[in-house]
Amino acid sequence: MTTPERWLEKHNRKLLMDRSAPGRIGASHARLDVPESELPDAALLRDNLDMPEVSESEIVRYFSQLSHYNFSIDHNFYPLGSCTMKYNPKINDEMAALPGLSEIHPFQPEETVQGALKLIWHIQEILAEVVGMAGASVSPKAGAESEFAGMLMARAYHLSRGDDKRKKVLIPDSAHGTNPASAVVAGFHVVSLPTNEQGNTDLAALEAAIGDDLAGFMLTQPSTLGIFDTNLSEVIQIVRDAGGILYGDGANLNALLGKVKLGELGFDVVHSNLHKTFTQPHGGGGPGAGAVLVSERLLPYLPEPHVTRAEDEDGERFSLTTPPQSIGRLGPFQGNFGALVRAYAYIRTLGDVGVSQISEDAVINANYILSQLRGTFDLPQDRHCKHEVVFSAKNLKDNFGVSGKDVCKRLIDSGIHPPTMYFPLPDVVEESLLIEPTETESKETLDQFIEVMKLIAKEAEEDPDLLLNAPHNTPNTRLDEALAARRPVLRWSRD
Amino acid sequence: MHDTTATSHYSPNTDSDREAMLAAIGVESAANLFDDIPQDYRFPALDIPAPLSEFELRQELGDLAALNATPGDYACFLGAGSYRHHVPAIVRALAFRGEFLTSYTPYQPEVSQRTLQAHYEFQTLICQLTGMEVANAGMYDGATSLAEAAMMAARITKRNRIVLAETVSPAYQSVVHTYTQGHDNLQVDVIAADGSDIPEDAACVVVQQPNFFGYLNDLEEMASRVHELGALLIVSVDLASLGMFRAPGSYDADIVVAEAQTLGVSPSYGGPYVGVLACRGGRDFLRQLPGRIVGETVDTEGRTGYVLTLQTREQHIRRERATSNICTSVGLIALMSAVYMAAQGKQGLRHTAELCYHKAHYLASLIEDIPGYSLPLQGTFFREFVVQCPLPPSEVNRRLLDYKVIGGLDVSDRFENGMLLCCTDVNTRGEIEALASALAEIGANAS
Amino acid sequence: MNYPDDLKYTKEHEWLRIESETTVVVGITEYAADELGDVVFVELPDVGAAVSAMGVFGEIESVKAVSELYSPVDGTVVERNEELDDTPELVNDLAYGDGWMIKIELSDPSQLDGLMSAADYQQFLATL
């Protein structure tokens, strides 16, 4: 039955093509200020351009109405584990939009973009210092592309030594799926390593898996279980002795700034997701930006272009260069420069003291949640965590038939974004709830979250249907994902 | 002087908050929470600059920006994969609303309908513009879209030879080489642009339209030749050209890739941009399509809504057997281009394409008349064309800076003293004529 | 859950129905379908493809998981269930009926002896 609410709701969700009316325009049309030229052969021209015709005010209203349908960090707490959803400073966006940074063309001659190159060079240097590596490239456009670049460098390193048997990459089962996918795209095959009961790398399994075909080991520190591997020194020794490259996934760098430098521990490649640790807004799933950082022995293989600095009597000069044995280009240009501006602005704002404080506060906040929700949910690893903590809703599932997903959906009703669910994978932690508060949340916010989580656990016992049917206050109730996959409808079409 | 004790205005924790939380955790100091890090390596010093206030930061970045020659202050005639256009104010105003800007990947569809619906609009508008049946939600950029499309074609055809026309952007060709280098089975060939020598076992043939030097080709015949060999035709297209030129779907392209930066996104020294990957709609294509895809469905009350779908293709589920390792769809930039496409609409896209066309042709007509300069290529171009200069282009460009002009891209490796020039809607008649007269002076002084 | 007595079973949760001395029909058990959740796609081999005992013959996908399908026996695919292309939910709804997957012509009928009975399979499930 059509109620006024339903009717309005339906109208709000109408797509642009259905809002179209012939003759309307949504942008001012510049006048042609040069003589017209003859148009080319009609065989090359299109006669049908079926695009929307909507006025500017209607477009603004449409997208603004849709805004109410999203949670965001600006809106509320967003403890989505492994995603580091910290506050995105507004000044960073303003800086990235400076015309002298946003309007410059990627093919401008070097002498006309010295400011941009200087900024890139500085961020390369700063990131290498923070992670303790010999050099950095900021051309990757995301974490996954950094991983890919890092593994290509590992490959190039082995091949340059005539070591063409090294095709195997070891990856713990707790790793994010991107690690194995990236290793395969770079031409390796992957062997998954079990995690032991303490959440560390299983050393016996590692010993058994190494050999002269070992190309490398990809390890996330702290791991996706939010804990630092206490076997790390042994792991590094074993992999190095076997001739493997040690890859550090820096997705969780927010726990380590000023606390440890992965390069000093012996990692050969580390990547940093600048959009997480150094606050590029996530924009509904990108853009990201990645840095790939390397030890001395991998410097010759960095992607091109790499920014270098030279100094003479005329002053300093920055250039785009190709490292001698570069793996090549990851994109047509220099990476996601706009994201680099934001990362640079953020790091310069916090400075040496502030950057170390990030990790201290992120880790305190996560451990505080751990201490307050212990007992309410299962805690697979009951030890100090780093910047994130994994709980399990297995107790609620076993006792009351509600899953981690149901807890998450009920949390939505409180206006808080759910933690990450189903990751780490079910064979590592069942019904996992991966919670990452970040350092930009106050104790009061954490207390609210803790309180709500306890109430939800109580509801699970007293009135499980409240969870099973949640969320209750959103524009859509639970959506039929099976239907979407079985009979894909992936675009508007004229009825 | 009053001094604040807070270390950062981004983080609310005060010392007393920290003490209270540490007490609840049951440790004496925050340092105890890092006991599991090997002691010799714990708490290293960070040799990075001291903090800046927001006021100082504005100065610092303003100073850096001032070291660049900024288009706008300078007339700029660069294109070659990144284009300057007038961007309507609503693009940024809408895309930079916090609800979109600061949300994550829409894994919880009930609280991400704005993101999802915007992605769905992007997919739809890209399909409408390219004439293709399906588009994903976005890739890093046009070049990686191309590399992924080529590997996708190899999976679909179960063949291993990727064939690139020589007139595909050199940077895009490099990216294809980077992306395929780990796959010993994949081979990349470069062939003449007329497609006269396509290898019989090609998985795909990649052509660029207009080609890297700005010129268009009738690709209908190429498509049928490619299909006769059982290969796929991949077209790397300039989306701005589609306001007036034929859509690749109409000449039977199998996969279309493009850089959507040209639709409402500033050049920003090369990124962030968003890549387009569109294709035929069959299951054989869909299952091999990399990246995120949004689909329509219904909720428990029967209302329409959107979700991420066909996720089993992706790395977070299929891990080492995923179609790609990509984890982003560059949602923000895709949204900007969706708003741009909506704002331009049917009429604005055509109008802007024609502005580019007429301005570029006006510039070409002026340059053709300058002694010492010539156009080496014949045929139809859209908004870019090659000029042969009387001096090396690097030298011409250096001298143009004195006229406050940023010249074209040096393509002298392909054409003797060749320069690739581009005109878009933002190049005014004044700029165009200034470039022509500057080139005339430079040419006159050269001889 | 139901495990018909007239079928044979494997530890990979496939069932097999003997149609004649040389042909068998293969699908997955209700247990497997339930564990997977809503099935959204089934990838099956073409007719004429060779399959081998314990070898992968296809893939089955739910919304958030992918699993491989293992053939219980050696042989050649003589029919595939085309219905599953558009209605993969048949695997959930009618695991032993319309949700069948492939028909195989056996190369070695003696392999059938190595498969589990319904009772054996249920005992096996109890150990999981």
Side-chain angles (χ1 to χ4, degrees), chain A residues 212-293:
Chain A
D212 59 4
D213 60 345
L214 179 71
F217 185 38
M218 296 180 86
L219 188 62
T220 308
Q221 281 302 300
S223 74
T224 51
L225 298 165
I227 55 181
F228 202 83
D229 194 324
T230 45
N231 288 337
L232 191 59
S233 305
E234 290 89 332
V235 169
I236 289 172
Q237 201 55 48
I238 293 168
V239 174
R240 290 218 129 187
D241 288 350
I245 290 285
L246 241 126
Y247 188 102
D249 181 329
N252 297 335
L253 210 54
N254 216 46
L256 302 180
L257 302 167
K259 306 305 167 202
V260 64
K261 293 180 176 176
L262 291 176
E264 291 182 354
L265 289 176
F267 282 89
D268 295 291
V269 198
V270 175
H271 87 261
S272 168
N273 303 69
L274 300 183
H275 48 283
K276 296 181 183 177
T277 318
F278 302 109
T279 71
Q280 163 75 20
H282 287 73
V292 61
L293 304 116

Side-chain angles (χ1 to χ4, degrees), chain B residues 322-368:
Chain B
T323 50
S324 164
N325 67 336
I326 196 165
C327 313
T328 182
S329 63
V330 205
L332 179 70
I333 311 295
L335 172 68
M336 291 173 80
S337 64
V339 176
Y340 180 88
M341 284 187 273
Q344 288 286 358
K346 181 186 175 103
Q347 299 188 50
L349 288 163
R350 168 103 200 192
H351 185 79
T352 302
E354 289 189 357
L355 287 175
C356 294
Y357 179 87
H358 291 304
K359 285 173 185 248
H361 283 75
Y362 179 58
L363 175 62
S365 72
L366 296 179
I367 292 176
E368 259 182 323

Side-chain angles (χ1 to χ4, degrees), chain A residues 13 30 62 94 145 491, chain B residues 58 60 113 121 128 179 351:
Chain A
R13 303 299 293 270
Y62 169 50
E94 185 185 309
E145 208 181 36
R491 55 170 294 190
Chain B
R58 276 209 176 107
E60 156 85 9
Q113 284 299 306
E121 291 282 19
Q128 295 295 109
Y179 265 72
H351 185 79

Side-chain angles (χ1 to χ4, degrees), chain B residues 25 68 71 93 108 116 119 142 146-147 166 168 221 300 304 316 318 333 356 410 428-429 436 439 444:
Chain B
I25 295 164
N68 300 328
Q108 298 283 347
L116 289 159
H119 282 23
L146 173 53
E166 60 177 348
V168 169
E221 209 182 310
T300 55
T304 299
H316 63 282
R318 201 176 280 257
I333 311 295
C356 294
D410 185 341
T428 63
R429 181 171 191 155
L439 288 175

Side-chain angles (χ1 to χ4, degrees), chain B residues 144-160:
Chain B
T144 49
S145 286
L146 173 53
E148 293 270 17
M151 293 193 286
M152 171 180 167
R155 293 192 297 269
I156 292 171
T157 58
K158 300 192 169 67
R159 295 181 180 185
N160 293 319

Side-chain angles (χ1 to χ4, degrees), chain A residues 13 16 30 38 50 62 67 70 94 102 105 112 129 141 145 283-284 329 344 361 409 477 480 491, chain B residues 18 47 58 60 69 82 101 103 108 110 113-115 117 121 128 141 178-179 268 297 300 351 357:
Chain A
R13 303 299 293 270
L16 285 161
E38 202 181 321
D50 192 8
Y62 169 50
S67 307
N70 254 23
E94 185 185 309
S102 66
H105 190 284
T112 69
E129 164 63 17
K141 285 148 295 192
E145 208 181 36
R329 287 190 160 275
Y344 182 73
D361 284 328
K409 297 297 183 194
T477 49
D480 190 343
R491 55 170 294 190
Chain B
R18 292 182 189 115
D47 183 15
R58 276 209 176 107
E60 156 85 9
S82 173
L101 185 67
S103 61
Q108 298 283 347
E110 300 86 352
Q113 284 299 306
R114 175 181 175 173
T115 299
Q117 191 162 330
E121 291 282 19
Q128 295 295 109
D141 57 31
T178 306
Y179 265 72
S268 190
T297 187
T300 55
H351 185 79
Y357 179 87

Side-chain angles (χ1 to χ4, degrees), chain A residues 114-159:
Chain A
Q114 285 295 299
L117 294 173
K118 186 175 180 177
L119 187 151
I120 296 176
W121 183 81
H122 273 297
I123 196 113
Q124 287 175 183
E125 292 292 303
I126 289 171
L127 292 171
E129 164 63 17
V130 169
V131 186
M133 308 296 282
S137 165
V138 286
S139 8
K141 285 148 295 192
E145 208 181 36
S146 307
E147 291 175 21
F148 171 57
M151 294 315 289
L152 277 186
M153 286 190 267
R155 177 177 179 274
Y157 169 79
H158 290 310
L159 288 179

